[in-house]
Amino acid sequence: MNNDLSGRTIVITGGTSGIGLATAKRFLQVGANVAICGRDKGRLKIAVADIRNMFGDENLLGVTCDVLDKQQIEIFVNSVVGRFGGVDTLVNNAGQARLSTFSTTDDDAWREELELKFFSIIYPSKGFQTYLEKSGSGSIVCVSSLLSRQPEPRLVATAAARAGQLNLIHSMAVELAPAIRVNSILIGVVESGQWQRRFEADKNSGNDYEAWVRKQAHDKGIPLGRFGQPEEAANAIYFLGTPMSSYTTGSTIDISGGYSKHVG
Ligand code: NDP
C-alpha cells in the first residue's frame, strides 16, 4: 500500500482544533497538501503556527471560513484550487453538539441545529464537487456521531439532525458514485475542544480535566474504558479519505470504544 500522498489535496473544514487538527497532521505526515478552515481568526492562526512548526507550510493553507456562509465557501474553494490546483478529499468536520432536551430546545435552536448539521455538509460538498469529480479518486468523509443511530434525550436536536445527516450522506454516496465516494465516521466520545469546554462549564466537577474525563468515560460505561483520542478518529478518516478504501462508499466506521449498543 502506497503511504506517500504527495500531490493529493485534502480539505478539512473545522481543521483548527480537535479531530480536524489531528486529521490535518495525519495527512501532512505522508506528504499531502492540506487546507483547513475555521471561523475564528485567532484559533486559525494558532493552529497554522502549530502545524508549521511540525511540517513547515509548503503543503499547508489556512483560510478563515464559516461553512454556513455560501460566499465564504466560494472564496475557500477558490483559494484551495488557486494554491493546489484541485481537490481529492473533502473532510466535512466543522461543527459541535448542542446540549438540550425536547423541553429546553426552542424553535430557533432547532433551526440552528438543523442548519448546522445539513448545510455544513451541503455547502462544502457542492463547492468542491466539480474538483472532486476531476480527481479520479475523489472522496468525501463526514465526521458524524453515534447519536445518528443511538439518540440521547439530553442532545435531542443534535441526535435528530445527525440521523437526517446520515440519510443525506447515503443518498450522496449513491448519486455521486462512481466519481466520488462518500462515507462517514460515527464518533462516540473523542477528547477535543468540545469536551474541554464542557469541563470548564462543569463548575461542580471538583476534578482536574484528566480525572473528569476518566469519570465521564466510567459513568457512560464505555467498554474500552476511556474517551477516544483525536488521532484515533483521524486514522479512520485517513482510511476513508484515501484510495485505501477504494471499494467503500455509503458506509460508516464506528469510533466509539464499543459504546454503540446496537448490532450492525
Ligand atoms: P472542536 O471544538 O475541537 O473542533 C471543532 C472545529 O470546527 C473547530 O476548528 C471550529 O473552529 C470548527 N467550526 C465549528 N463551526 C464551524 C463553522 N460553522 N464553520 C467553520 N468551522 C467551524 O470539536 P471536535 O474535534 O470534537 O469536533 C469535530 C466534529 O466531530 C464536529 O462536527 C463534532 O460535532 C463531531 N463530533 C465530535 C464528538 C466528540 O466527542 N468530540 C462526538 C460526536 C461528533 P471555529 O470555532 O473557530 O470555527
Side-chain angles (χ1 to χ4, degrees):
M1 190 54 68
N2 182 7
N3 274 333
D4 178 8
L5 293 190
S6 307
R8 193 171 177 90
T9 298
I10 319 299
V11 173
I12 303 159
T13 68
T16 62
S17 170
I19 296 165
L21 181 57
T23 304
K25 292 177 181 173
R26 181 71 182 84
F27 279 100
L28 283 161
Q29 269 166 18
V30 289
N33 302 319
V34 169
I36 60 170
C37 81
R39 293 164 302 180
D40 186 86
K41 269 200 180 83
R43 279 195 288 272
L44 180 70
K45 205 171 155 194
I46 291 168
V48 165
D50 174 24
I51 296 175
R52 193 187 286 138
N53 279 341
M54 296 174 78
F55 303 100
D57 57 9
E58 196 187 330
N59 297 345
L60 175 68
L61 175 69
V63 175
T64 311
C65 170
D66 182 340
V67 292
L68 300 183
D69 184 320
K70 213 172 173 173
Q71 281 177 335
Q72 290 185 28
I73 283 288
E74 209 178 300
I75 294 167
F76 185 37
V77 171
N78 291 336
S79 310
V80 175
V81 174
R83 170 76 185 275
F84 298 126
V87 177
D88 303 288
T89 299
L90 168 65
V91 182
N92 286 320
N93 165 75
Q96 61 192 12
R98 178 181 294 272
L99 278 165
S100 67
T101 64
F102 186 71
S103 309
T104 61
T105 313
D106 65 22
D107 294 356
D108 286 343
W110 273 106
R111 287 194 185 92
E112 271 174 28
E113 192 59 11
L114 291 166
E115 184 187 2
L116 172 64
K117 294 301 184 290
F118 282 99
F119 285 94
S120 62
I121 289 186
I122 294 168
Y123 286 158
S125 301
K126 281 201 172 202
F128 287 103
Q129 183 176 348
T130 320
Y131 302 99
L132 290 163
E133 281 166 356
K134 286 185 198 151
S135 154
S137 58
S139 169
I140 297 176
V141 185
C142 301
V143 177
S144 187
S145 167
L146 186 60
L147 288 169
S148 59
R149 294 193 171 141
Q150 189 168 289
E152 290 183 26
R154 71 196 177 94
L155 287 152
V156 66
T158 295
R162 287 290 193 194
Q165 195 187 55
L166 198 57
N167 192 292
L168 164 69
I169 293 165
H170 202 85
S171 291
M172 286 168 61
V174 174
E175 184 177 329
L176 302 186
I180 308 172
R181 298 181 299 105
V182 190
N183 293 289
S184 48
I185 64 165
L186 303 186
I187 308 276
V189 277
V190 163
E191 270 189 68
S192 69
Q194 288 200 69
W195 285 97
Q196 185 72 44
R197 289 192 293 277
R198 282 186 208 173
F199 166 69
E200 280 156 17
D202 184 359
K203 303 265 185 284
N204 303 319
S205 78
N207 279 321
D208 62 19
Y209 179 63
E210 276 72 30
W212 182 83
V213 164
R214 270 198 305 279
K215 183 174 181 320
Q216 295 284 323
H218 174 268
D219 292 352
K220 280 177 177 293
I222 297 172
L224 291 185
R226 61 176 177 83
F227 278 18
Q229 293 303 308
E231 294 73 20
E232 294 174 307
N235 282 336
I237 295 169
Y238 180 88
F239 173 69
L240 292 173
T242 64
M244 279 178 99
S245 58
S246 50
Y247 201 52
T248 301
T249 197
S251 186
T252 58
I253 295 182
D254 177 299
I255 308 289
S256 75
Y259 188 44
S260 170
K261 304 279 189 297
H262 53 84
V263 177

